[in-house]
Amino acid sequence: MNAIQKIKGVADLFEPDSTAFTRLETVAREVFGRFGYAELRVPVLEKTELFARSIGEETDVVQKEMYTFPDRKGRLLTMRPEATAGIMRACIENKVFAEKPVVKLFSFGPMFRYERPQKGRMRQFHQLDAELLGPKEPEADAEVLLMLWTYLRELGLQKLCFELNSLGCARCRPGYRQALVDYFSGLAPAALCEDCRRRTNTNPLRVLDCKVPGCKAATAGAPLITDHLCPDCAAHFASLRAALDAQGVEYTLNPRLVRGLDYYVGTTFEITSSDIGSQTAVAGGGRYDGLVRDLGGPDVAGIGFAIGMERLAMLLPGVKPEAPDFFLALLDQGAAGAALALAQRLRGMGLRGDMDFTAGSPKSRLRAAGKSGARFCLLLGADELNRGTVQAKDLAGGGQTEVPLEDLTALAALFETPGSEA
RNA sequence: GUGGCUGUGGCGCAGUUGGUUAGCGCGUCAGGUUGUGGCCCUGAAGGGCGAGGGUUCAAGUCCCUCCAGCCACCCCA
């Protein structure tokens, strides 16, 4: 019988890959907690309509990347392709806005997008999300960005590029959009690639982000959103920049930074790395005032970001697994019960280690002990059992002592002495 | 969805123009005389060559389909 294999674009993460994810989560809980964020867990499955309404019917994500299927009663469900929509749904449904004017939440878990896998792009991938709901002041944007910045620094990541832009609001965007369309229609028909000619009508902002060389050249002189912001947006953006400057956060202004989800307005940002393949975005986010209202909730402002955990993990330096304290070697099967009891006592003292279940020769057991990387090999056989003792061999130094099994203090003392490095 | 490359024991690889029982390194396990590791030596286990068809007297080696991986486009975290 053929063994069943995993489906395309998903991953099994064993040690030490799994430890990188654990680290990302641990540091996130710590840092985000310091900023007052509470953890939220939301379902992976939602009604398809939630994503269609929030992300945008015309986006690539909704058009061709969602895992959507009818359940047994014919309801259309979707495996979430991003987290914000579900978090907003949960907030509205649980009326969290009625309790407090400012809501800070973070969440992480798997997301699903039906795409062709490649480096840094999985069909099941994981995101770390943070959302700040309520305040619309630029200092709120600044705090969110500072939190992301702090998180990345505490992970020890230096070589990241921080890009910032403002997409404008419902008041300034139509004018800018028209300016763009006018500019594009003034170009030679062949100046833009086929996709971009279509985008000129559907999503002219996206043309600015096209990587085709011809398009890059053709849009070099295109009008920039930052020159078309309304007074409110311009002031907001200026205040945000001032706040970031004051905090020493280094960033690059990228007037061509366009996000792929329709709900973004105003401040947008992206953290990129050139070390993780052609998918460069490690984290991205922005302001989404109006999203909660559009999903049937009150008109509260919001800003947040998502971090791609797989991509971030690629940048993390390798972590060495913690070495065990002991390896309990069994020399005679008759001592198995005593070995289990001893191991349990040691673990009760907070020590880490493995024990043999099957007895073997001293040579084979010591070999195994050496490979385990343990500091001590404890040997227990018929002789020791008769004497009521256990042999403790220092695997780095080589010294060996015999300790009475019942002598807790002597056992504890063994592990308290500084280990000899060899 | 498109394109290129790839798929041989746990891991990394070699396998001549298709031809006897598919090799190597690492790893795993055991042994190198009395209950003691890490180096060294010896031996053993473990694959029928991603899956399924086809061509042939004969296929890991040729053809087809599918699956998976990698990289890129696209898109995004």
Side-chain angles (χ1 to χ4, degrees):
Chain A
M1 237 222 265
N2 295 327
I4 296 169
Q5 298 178 305
K6 68 178 183 294
I7 61 174
K8 187 194 279 277
V10 302
D12 303 313
L13 294 186
F14 286 83
E15 188 75 38
D17 295 330
S18 52
T19 57
F21 277 71
T22 304
R23 173 132 189 277
L24 293 181
E25 293 169 3
T26 305
V27 176
R29 283 202 173 91
E30 207 281 311
V31 173
F32 296 176
R34 263 164 29 211
F35 280 80
Y37 282 68
E39 184 171 349
L40 169 70
R41 301 200 183 214
V42 288
V44 163
L45 268 183
E46 296 277 2
K47 290 180 182 168
T48 302
E49 186 191 359
L50 172 66
F51 301 113
R53 264 166 68 182
S54 59
I55 298 170
E57 293 278 7
E58 301 306 317
T59 58
D60 282 6
V61 170
V62 171
Q63 287 277 304
K64 49 192 190 190
E65 294 174 4
M66 295 204 302
Y67 275 92
T68 296
F69 56 91
D71 72 2
R72 286 172 182 262
K73 291 214 171 155
R75 310 174 188 95
L76 258 200
L77 305 182
T78 294
M79 311 274 283
R80 62 178 181 191
E82 61 99 44
T84 302
I87 293 173
M88 293 312 114
R89 192 228 82 231
C91 288
I92 295 166
E93 194 166 338
N94 291 280
K95 305 217 177 345
V96 299
F97 306 112
E99 291 177 23
K100 38 189 172 180
V102 176
V103 176
K104 290 177 164 181
L105 295 166
F106 75 93
S107 187
F108 51 70
M111 308 294 155
F112 303 83
R113 255 122 99 158
Y114 193 93
E115 298 181 274
R116 192 79 166 261
Q118 69 181 80
K119 188 169 190 178
R121 192 173 73 183
M122 296 280 115
R123 287 185 172 181
Q124 176 177 337
F125 60 104
H126 298 77
Q127 286 188 341
L128 236 164
D129 271 79
E131 318 285 354
L132 170 54
L133 302 163
K136 54 186 192 314
E137 289 78 7
E139 287 72 24
D141 303 41
E143 192 191 70
V144 165
L145 288 165
L146 268 173
M147 182 168 85
L148 177 56
W149 182 248
T150 305
Y151 174 64
L152 295 170
R153 289 188 74 101
E154 300 219 355
L155 285 172
L157 302 173
Q158 307 289 339
K159 286 180 59 187
L160 291 171
C161 185
F162 190 163
E163 295 183 39
L164 190 64
N165 190 27
S166 174
L167 294 179
C169 66
R171 251 180 305 154
C172 35
R173 212 163 342 161
Y176 174 60
R177 190 188 156 108
Q178 192 52 53
L180 263 187
V181 173
D182 291 346
Y183 174 81
F184 291 143
S185 10
L187 293 173
L192 296 176
C193 71
E194 196 182 326
D195 283 338
C196 284
R197 283 201 291 275
R198 193 191 68 242
R199 285 174 183 142
T200 301
N201 298 314
T202 58
N203 191 346
L205 270 65
R206 199 79 68 78
V207 178
L208 296 177
D209 208 30
C210 186
K211 279 118 195 159
V212 176
C215 296
K216 278 192 157 167
T219 59
L224 298 175
I225 178 67
T226 33
D227 296 330
H228 286 71
L229 294 177
C230 66
D232 285 351
C233 282
H236 183 101
F237 197 45
S239 298
L240 168 60
R241 292 178 55 188
L244 292 177
D245 291 340
Q247 291 302 315
V249 175
E250 289 178 36
Y251 57 88
T252 309
L253 288 180
N254 180 359
R256 288 154 181 273
L257 177 62
V258 177
R259 315 255 67 235
L261 312 182
D262 282 358
Y263 54 63
Y264 285 113
V265 293
T267 307
T268 55
F269 51 91
E270 207 165 281
I271 307 289
T272 61
S273 166
S274 52
D275 298 331
I276 54 173
S278 69
Q279 309 300 322
T280 57
V282 172
R287 195 160 261 291
Y288 47 83
D289 302 345
L291 175 59
V292 174
R293 181 199 59 221
D294 292 346
L295 288 175
D299 189 7
V300 298
I303 180 167
F305 59 77
I307 297 170
M309 295 179 71
E310 279 80 359
R311 294 182 186 176
L312 197 52
M314 281 192 270
L315 296 166
L316 239 42
V319 284
K320 284 190 199 132
E322 206 178 327
D325 297 302
F326 67 88
F327 182 94
L328 180 41
L330 187 60
L331 302 183
D332 294 286
Q333 201 60 43
L340 183 65
L342 175 57
Q344 183 64 5
R345 277 202 292 150
L346 294 171
R347 290 164 182 155
M349 292 161 59
L351 298 168
R352 302 156 47 87
D354 278 327
M355 62 169 280
D356 276 328
F357 298 109
T358 308
S361 71
K363 177 179 203 145
S364 79
R365 297 304 79 214
L366 245 351
R367 267 185 183 163
K371 259 177 304 214
S372 78
R375 187 175 161 208
F376 284 100
C377 180
L378 306 177
L379 297 119
L380 195 57
D383 295 349
E384 287 76 18
L385 202 56
N386 288 334
R387 278 181 254 133
T389 61
V390 62
Q391 306 278 356
K393 174 156 189 163
D394 182 333
L395 287 170
Q400 185 167 321
T401 52
E402 187 162 4
V403 188
L405 270 174
E406 297 311 317
D407 193 345
L408 271 175
T409 358
L411 277 175
L414 260 184
F415 292 95
E416 275 163 18
T417 55
S420 50
E421 300 294 327

